[in-house]
Amino acid sequence: MGKALEGVKILDFTHVQSGPTCTQLLAWFGADVIKVEKAGEGDVTRQQLRDIDGVDSLYFTMLNHNKRSITLDTKNPKGKEVLIELIKHCDVLVENFAPGALDRMGLTWEHIHKLNPRMIVASVKGFGPGPYEDCKVYENIAQCAGGSASTTGFRDGPPLVTGAQIGDSGTGLHLALGIVTALYQRMRTGRGQRVLAAMQDGVLNLARVKLRDQQRLKHGPLKEYSQYGEGIPFGEATPRAGNDSGGGQPGWILKCKGWETDPDSYIYFITQAPVWGEICDLIGKPEWKTDPDYATPNARLPRLKHIFHTIEQWTMTMTKFEVMEKCNAVDIPVGPILSMKEIAEEPSLRATGTVVEVDHPTRGKYLTVGNPIKLSDSPCEVKRSPLLGEHTEEVLSKVLGYSAAEVAEIKGSGAVTPPEKGARAEAA
Ligand code: CAO
């Protein structure tokens, strides 16, 4: 069976997390992703947060599956020549350098467009055009500037960042959609275009419901926020909402049996209106079904704290999985708080390829997150990340068509470095 993006060649000039997330997805869909890394050093994450000495970090391996790696010093004249050849051969250039870095390499949009009018140039930047466009940005800066941090956490505490990498991986996802959209448009126009995904914009897109609430505030208090029931006035901006649900069905995180010793013995419980009767029966409060203080969603809004406290007395008598079983049996939406340990060991996630075990020549076996998007006609096999420069010769000769003498000349110029030992051993 073929792959959706078979035949698409990506010049992957990305590093750290945001860009590599995007190109990894494209590789999983079948694109040939050629990662260009600094000669001798490679993507900085190869060495960051290392758990095993001398071995590519999990940070790197988990973001760079199914790619080929070529080392190239783009500041060396011969290296620049090779880069230009890659631009001519590829369909998409993806980069997430600091603002201006690509221009400083002499690769302005105008120049790239002249070299290859079909090429799509896709960039992640911290901010879009405006006062901050020249700033370098990392994950948590984007979470703060995109409105997520100010609306995350508890009302009486400081703003909080989330564990989900919505600034980096979230923006990588946005960029990937931009790229396939531009490829689709290119089928009609024959022309490449620029694709920009700014991290601030990506986070704001994911925090869209909080901008919704900002505008609703003008018309009165946000009744589904628990501070309403507690009689605490709202300020001028969307407040932090603790574990309140961001939608129209109130929810909260409740303790389950064992919470005193297990930090993840909790469940998210949603009091969805259509199953209110079932909730009342389960928790032993059948009278709430007809009591005017509890019978309708509006009547319940000022009493949410008391309601969730009462439900919690029931959830605390069972494990989170027992609560889930009882609630799902009558269609009440609940979500167990799963630890990363539980997720790593969950057989159903292994069965679907969402959690995958991969073998690596220098690291051995490790777990990774596979492709979360499943296509029925484009199966995804997760292949280990490349060693630094593992495919340099292969790309020079097979993709760019350099002769053996030309490859030797490029190597002699210092534009590329020899592949890592492990890569040589594998190739032999
Ligand atoms: N050969 C030679 N030089 C190379 C090279 C190569 N193969 N690849 C990159 N370089 C050079 C660049 O030309 C640039 O040099 P100059 O500054 O002299 O022009 C330099 O390496 C480093 O690029 P950088 O500024 O992107 O790297 P940094 O570590 O200083 O900044 C980061 C990192 C992430 C803050 C910045 O890249 C950034 O803001 N990116 C955009 C937003 C983003 O993606 N942030 C998320 C990062 S986490 O996912």
Side-chain angles (χ1 to χ4, degrees):
M1 210 185 284
K3 303 270 173 74
L5 294 182
E6 220 165 76
V8 175
K9 284 201 181 62
I10 311 280
L11 196 178
D12 181 9
F13 228 167
T14 68
H15 63 158
V16 202
Q17 186 182 159
S18 63
T21 317
C22 165
T23 50
Q24 177 169 260
L25 272 173
L26 301 175
W28 280 336
F29 290 134
D32 180 8
V33 175
I34 300 168
K35 184 168 172 107
V36 176
E37 299 184 74
K38 261 192 200 168
E41 299 172 32
D43 188 325
V44 69
T45 58
R46 284 190 186 265
Q47 298 180 40
Q48 279 179 353
L49 310 176
R50 273 189 172 168
D51 53 336
I52 306 172
D53 273 352
V55 169
D56 283 340
S57 70
L58 285 166
Y59 195 10
F60 177 84
T61 54
M62 291 178 72
L63 286 161
N64 289 285
H65 293 103
N66 298 54
K67 304 181 185 178
R68 298 202 260 183
S69 164
I70 156 169
T71 48
L72 205 58
D73 179 356
T74 59
K75 289 180 176 158
N76 169 307
K78 203 75 194 161
K80 184 88 178 286
E81 250 176 54
V82 173
L83 184 62
I84 300 287
E85 282 310 299
L86 277 167
I87 289 175
K88 290 181 186 161
H89 273 80
C90 289
D91 299 280
V92 187
L93 185 159
V94 191
E95 63 92 22
N96 67 310
F97 291 127
L102 207 59
D103 288 0
R104 286 196 292 279
M105 280 183 201
L107 296 175
T108 59
W109 159 250
E110 290 73 20
H111 187 46
I112 295 173
H113 194 58
K114 218 176 196 174
L115 289 169
N116 179 358
R118 289 175 57 80
M119 175 161 261
I120 290 153
V121 177
S123 305
V124 168
K125 293 289 166 263
F127 294 93
Y132 305 120
E133 66 186 307
D134 291 331
C135 300
K136 289 186 178 181
V137 168
Y138 283 104
E139 171 70 46
N140 289 344
I141 297 175
Q143 288 198 23
C144 294
S148 172
S150 73
T151 53
T152 303
F154 288 90
R155 203 176 46 248
D156 48 4
L160 280 185
V161 294
T162 75
Q165 305 284 282
I166 56 177
D168 277 340
S169 289
T171 308
L173 267 165
H174 284 91
L175 192 72
L177 178 60
I179 290 169
V180 291
T181 306
L183 281 167
Y184 188 74
Q185 189 171 9
R186 194 183 73 171
M187 285 163 59
R188 288 198 312 275
T189 63
R191 255 196 340 270
Q193 61 182 299
R194 276 172 292 178
V195 179
L196 170 67
M199 294 167 76
Q200 181 184 40
D201 301 5
V203 170
L204 177 59
N205 185 34
L206 299 176
R208 154 183 309 262
V209 298
K210 300 298 177 178
L211 185 57
R212 172 202 68 193
D213 292 348
Q214 178 63 39
Q215 297 169 87
R216 289 171 61 226
L217 258 181
K218 277 193 211 130
H219 304 281
L222 305 170
K223 293 185 179 166
E224 77 284 11
Y225 281 53
S226 37
Q227 84 175 69
Y228 170 71
E230 291 164 33
I232 297 167
F234 284 78
E236 287 185 348
T238 308
R240 293 189 264 291
N243 287 319
D244 286 331
S245 149
Q249 307 288 346
W252 196 257
I253 287 184
L254 306 178
K255 292 170 183 159
C256 294
K257 196 171 173 179
W259 66 273
E260 299 91 336
T261 51
D262 176 357
D264 298 308
S265 192
Y266 288 83
I267 196 151
Y268 200 92
F269 197 105
I270 296 181
T271 55
Q272 194 201 10
V275 287
W276 178 244
E278 284 78 356
I279 294 172
C280 297
D281 287 337
L282 262 190
I283 65 170
K285 284 279 179 193
E287 65 276 17
W288 277 3
K289 288 191 277 188
T290 48
D291 183 333
D293 280 350
Y294 296 90
T296 64
N298 272 345
R300 292 195 286 276
L301 285 175
R303 297 174 180 78
L304 287 178
K305 196 170 177 180
H306 172 64
I307 290 171
F308 282 121
H309 179 74
T310 308
I311 300 173
E312 193 171 58
Q313 301 313 300
W314 177 74
T315 58
M316 279 163 66
T317 64
M318 284 162 286
T319 68
K320 59 192 174 190
F321 297 111
E322 287 165 347
V323 175
M324 206 181 167
E325 214 174 288
K326 288 212 161 26
C327 288
N328 279 334
V330 285
D331 251 1
I332 300 168
V334 288
I337 308 303
L338 293 183
S339 69
M340 276 297 158
K341 181 171 185 294
E342 287 166 324
I343 286 173
E345 292 165 357
E346 173 57 47
S348 65
L349 293 175
R350 299 285 184 103
T352 56
T354 296
V355 175
V356 187
E357 190 176 74
V358 182
D359 206 357
H360 186 278
T362 55
R363 153 173 297 282
K365 290 191 166 50
Y366 66 96
L367 282 189
T368 194
V369 184
N371 192 347
I373 306 164
K374 323 285 193 222
L375 267 59
S376 63
D377 271 359
S378 184
C380 176
E381 184 198 346
V382 178
K383 295 188 192 147
R384 70 163 174 88
S385 59
L387 296 168
L388 180 59
E390 184 172 347
H391 306 96
T392 303
E393 288 204 31
E394 181 181 303
V395 171
L396 291 178
S397 57
K398 302 221 172 91
V399 178
L400 300 180
Y402 285 115
S403 67
E406 285 168 325
V407 171
E409 191 194 338
I410 292 166
K411 281 174 157 178
S413 74
V416 299
T417 48
E420 280 183 354
K421 269 194 212 128
R424 273 203 301 264
E426 273 235 322

